[in-house]
Amino acid sequence: MIKLSKISKLYFHGAREITALKDISLDIRTGEFLAVMGASGSGKSTLLNLIGGLDQPTSGKIFVDNIPLHGISDDELTLIRRRRIGFIFQFFNLLPILTAAENVALPLLLEGAPFSRVKPQAELYLQKVGLADRVEHRPEQLSGGEMQRVAIARALISKPAVLLADEPTGNLDSVTSEDIFRLLTVLHQEGQTIVMVTHDSKAAAHGTRTITLRDGSIAEDSAIKK
C-alpha cells in the first residue's frame, strides 16, 4: 500500500548539513493504523510530509497506492495529494469565510466541480462525523472538536488511499481528544488506512502498530496489543 525504500532527507542550515531521515525502509499495509512516535527533532513530521507528497526525499523511493511520489513534478504531486491523500492537521486549517459544507467540499471544488453538485456529498460526510446540524456554520461558530471533525470530513471526501494525521488532537482538551480518536478508530474499522504522528503513548494506543523514530532512523517497530 505504502512503501518507502532507503529514504533519506537532508537539509542545509547555512553550510551545515542536517540529516532529518536516514536510510528508512518501511511498508504500511492497506487498512493499517500506524502511529509514528519520537522525540522532537526525531523526523516524525518529515516522514509524514514525505508520505504526503509535501516534500521530496533526498534519496530513496516512495510509493503510495502503487503510485511513485519520488522524482515527479510539483504539479503531479499536487494532483496525487488532492486525489489520493487526506490530511488532518493540528490547527484544522479551515477557511473562515466558508461554511462547514463548503470547507468539506473544497478538494472537489479545486477539481472544478460546482458546489451545487458536490454539496450533498459534503453533507453526507458531515453527517458521518456527527455534524449533520452544522452544515451552514462557519468555523468561528464551531468548537475546536467540531472544527477538527469538519477537517476530517474534508480529508475523507476524496476517498483517499491514506489518511495522514499530524498531532490531530494537539489543540484539543482530553475529552474532545477521545471523541476524535473514537472517530478515527471507527474509520479504521471501516477499512481506512491511517498514519498518525503523535508524541502521546495513549494516543498511539488507538492504532494497530507503532514505530518510534530516533535521530532520523526507526528505533522500534511493534504491533499494538489490544
Side-chain angles (χ1 to χ4, degrees), residues 46-112:
T46 300
L47 179 64
L48 203 70
N49 288 344
L50 291 176
I51 294 173
L54 295 172
D55 202 354
Q56 287 268 287
T58 303
S59 61
K61 297 179 179 179
I62 304 175
F63 297 88
V64 172
D65 205 23
N66 294 320
I67 299 171
L69 300 191
H70 55 279
I72 62 176
S73 70
D74 288 342
D75 288 344
E76 289 173 307
L77 276 174
T78 297
L79 288 177
I80 292 169
R81 287 196 301 267
R82 191 183 299 163
R83 296 171 179 174
R84 305 303 300 143
I85 301 169
F87 294 92
I88 307 170
F89 301 99
Q90 180 177 343
F91 295 104
F92 321 132
N93 290 353
L94 302 181
L95 296 182
I97 64 171
L98 301 184
T99 65
E102 289 167 339
N103 268 290
V104 172
L106 192 57
L108 303 184
L109 299 178
L110 292 172
E111 293 279 347

Side-chain angles (χ1 to χ4, degrees), residues 44-222:
K44 302 189 303 296
S45 293
T46 300
L47 179 64
L48 203 70
N49 288 344
L50 291 176
I51 294 173
L54 295 172
D55 202 354
Q56 287 268 287
T58 303
S59 61
K61 297 179 179 179
I62 304 175
F63 297 88
V64 172
D65 205 23
N66 294 320
I67 299 171
L69 300 191
H70 55 279
I72 62 176
S73 70
D74 288 342
D75 288 344
E76 289 173 307
L77 276 174
T78 297
L79 288 177
I80 292 169
R81 287 196 301 267
R82 191 183 299 163
R83 296 171 179 174
R84 305 303 300 143
I85 301 169
F87 294 92
I88 307 170
F89 301 99
Q90 180 177 343
F91 295 104
F92 321 132
N93 290 353
L94 302 181
L95 296 182
I97 64 171
L98 301 184
T99 65
E102 289 167 339
N103 268 290
V104 172
L106 192 57
L108 303 184
L109 299 178
L110 292 172
E111 293 279 347
F115 181 62
S116 58
R117 179 160 65 82
V118 299
K119 184 179 180 183
Q121 290 175 258
E123 292 176 344
L124 183 65
Y125 278 97
L126 283 170
Q127 180 180 356
K128 185 180 183 68
V129 299
L131 293 179
D133 59 343
R134 296 290 191 269
V135 171
E136 300 298 332
H137 286 61
R138 286 184 167 79
E140 66 180 13
Q141 299 170 300
L142 302 173
S143 68
E146 288 171 336
M147 285 192 283
Q148 191 60 295
R149 286 174 178 268
V150 172
I152 292 172
R154 179 186 59 193
L156 292 171
I157 197 167
S158 297
K159 300 179 181 178
V162 59
L163 194 60
L164 303 182
D166 191 358
E167 298 281 4
T169 62
N171 209 30
L172 302 174
D173 61 67
S174 59
V175 174
T176 306
S177 295
E178 279 302 313
D179 288 340
I180 295 299
F181 284 127
R182 278 193 290 269
L183 175 57
L184 291 176
T185 298
V186 169
L187 294 173
H188 167 248
Q189 290 170 344
E190 293 174 350
Q192 179 67 58
T193 305
I194 301 174
V195 179
M196 176 179 69
V197 161
T198 182
H199 68 280
D200 185 352
S201 58
K202 290 183 179 179
H206 291 274
T208 57
R209 176 185 172 197
T210 299
I211 63 169
T212 301
L213 297 182
R214 187 175 298 126
D215 299 327
S217 298
I218 297 176
E220 298 178 31
D221 185 344
S222 59

